[in-house]
């Protein structure tokens, strides 16, 4: 009987990919339908996944298969993600879906940046805000910069779809690309 083909992945890259996907070893093991010890042995380089397991791994972690053959994890820009929390709730980690969409957004951002450089467009400098800043002050400043009045925002758009289209148009007029991703709660 022929042994299943094993795939020589980098354990360090697997460990990085699991973490970057917003998964725990336990959650990843459950999705892979293997024990946590199997995942740990792959990460440690003590065992290798079969081709079938490798294909499932690529699908679950949403990474190109080639990334798992790198000698070490790739360097991704450390995107600082700050989320406001409802009063009385503790800060939380990103969900698997949120991590995946943020990775996709960063990829689109890098592509748009490269494309604008290739087209000779000037770089834009956009203001930044943090969750520590007063949201009303930031909103007032940005509405003024973007050209959206509070009246337009509150009563002028009428419904959520029209409001989204209005915001998208206003933001794209100042040079921002707008993408809509479903991030959950």
């Amino acid at each position: 009987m022929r042994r299943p083909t094993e795939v020589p992945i980098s354990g360090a890259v697997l460990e990085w990919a699991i973490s970057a996907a917003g998964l725990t070893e336990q959650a990843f093991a459950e999705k892979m339908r293997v024990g946590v010890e199997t995942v740990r042995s792959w990460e440690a380089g003590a065992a290798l996944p079969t081709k079938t397991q490798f294909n499932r791994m690529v699908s679950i972690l949403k990474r190109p298969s080639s990334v798992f053959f790198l000698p070490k994890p790739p360097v991704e820009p450390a995107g600082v993600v700050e989320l406001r929390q409802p009063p009385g709730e503790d800060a939380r980690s990103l969900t698997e879906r949120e991590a995946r969409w943020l990775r996709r957004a960063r990829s689109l951002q890098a592509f748009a940046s490269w494309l604008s450089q290739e087209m000779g467009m000037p770089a834009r400098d956009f203001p930044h805000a943090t969750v520590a800043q007063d949201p009303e002050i930031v909103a007032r400043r940005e509405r003024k910069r973007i050209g959206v009045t509070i009246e337009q925002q509150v009563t002028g758009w009428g419904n959520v779809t029209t409001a989204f289209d209005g915001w998208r148009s206003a933001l794209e007029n100042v040079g921002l690309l707008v993408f809509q991703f479903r991030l959950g709660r």
Side-chain angles (χ1 to χ4, degrees):
M1 183 173 194
R2 213 171 114 186
R3 268 185 73 186
T5 303
E6 293 180 329
V7 181
I9 65 166
S10 163
V13 172
L14 174 61
E15 187 176 359
W16 162 83
I18 292 169
S19 175
L23 294 170
T24 62
E25 285 177 334
Q26 178 68 39
F28 178 68
E30 288 171 13
K31 288 176 178 280
M32 287 292 297
R33 293 181 232 133
V34 299
V36 175
E37 289 308 314
T38 300
V39 172
R40 289 183 180 142
S41 67
W42 292 339
E43 290 174 336
L48 297 172
T50 65
K51 177 126 175 54
T52 302
Q53 289 169 327
F54 176 71
N55 290 337
R56 188 176 306 136
M57 182 183 297
V58 167
S59 176
I60 290 167
L61 297 174
K62 309 277 190 265
R63 294 285 179 170
S65 57
S66 59
V67 79
F68 295 95
F69 303 111
L70 295 171
K72 61 184 182 186
V75 176
E76 285 188 325
V80 177
V81 178
E82 293 181 293
L83 302 173
R84 291 192 185 278
Q85 302 300 322
E89 284 194 27
D90 292 333
R92 65 174 180 81
S93 300
L94 295 175
T95 66
E96 179 183 354
R97 174 187 271 176
E98 291 166 341
R100 184 174 62 244
W101 283 121
L102 284 172
R103 197 169 62 239
R104 176 83 169 126
R106 284 187 191 112
S107 175
L108 290 169
Q109 183 181 35
F111 175 74
S113 177
W114 170 82
L115 185 60
S116 65
Q117 286 177 345
E118 289 294 307
M119 295 174 64
M121 297 171 71
R124 303 226 177 201
D125 187 28
F126 293 102
H128 296 271
T130 69
V131 295
Q133 291 175 279
D134 183 324
E136 289 190 29
I137 292 171
V138 172
R140 191 176 315 116
R141 178 189 75 205
E142 291 307 302
R143 274 195 301 273
K144 183 177 180 180
R145 187 177 67 80
I146 294 166
V148 172
T149 66
I150 191 77
E151 294 76 24
Q152 184 179 22
Q153 183 180 352
V154 174
T155 60
W157 285 328
N159 62 52
V160 173
T161 302
T162 305
F164 177 79
D165 292 341
W167 274 114
R168 176 183 287 211
S169 179
L171 291 168
E172 288 180 347
N173 284 338
V174 296
L176 286 169
L177 294 178
V178 178
F179 299 97
Q180 184 177 13
F181 301 122
R182 187 174 305 279
L183 292 178
R185 209 171 73 107

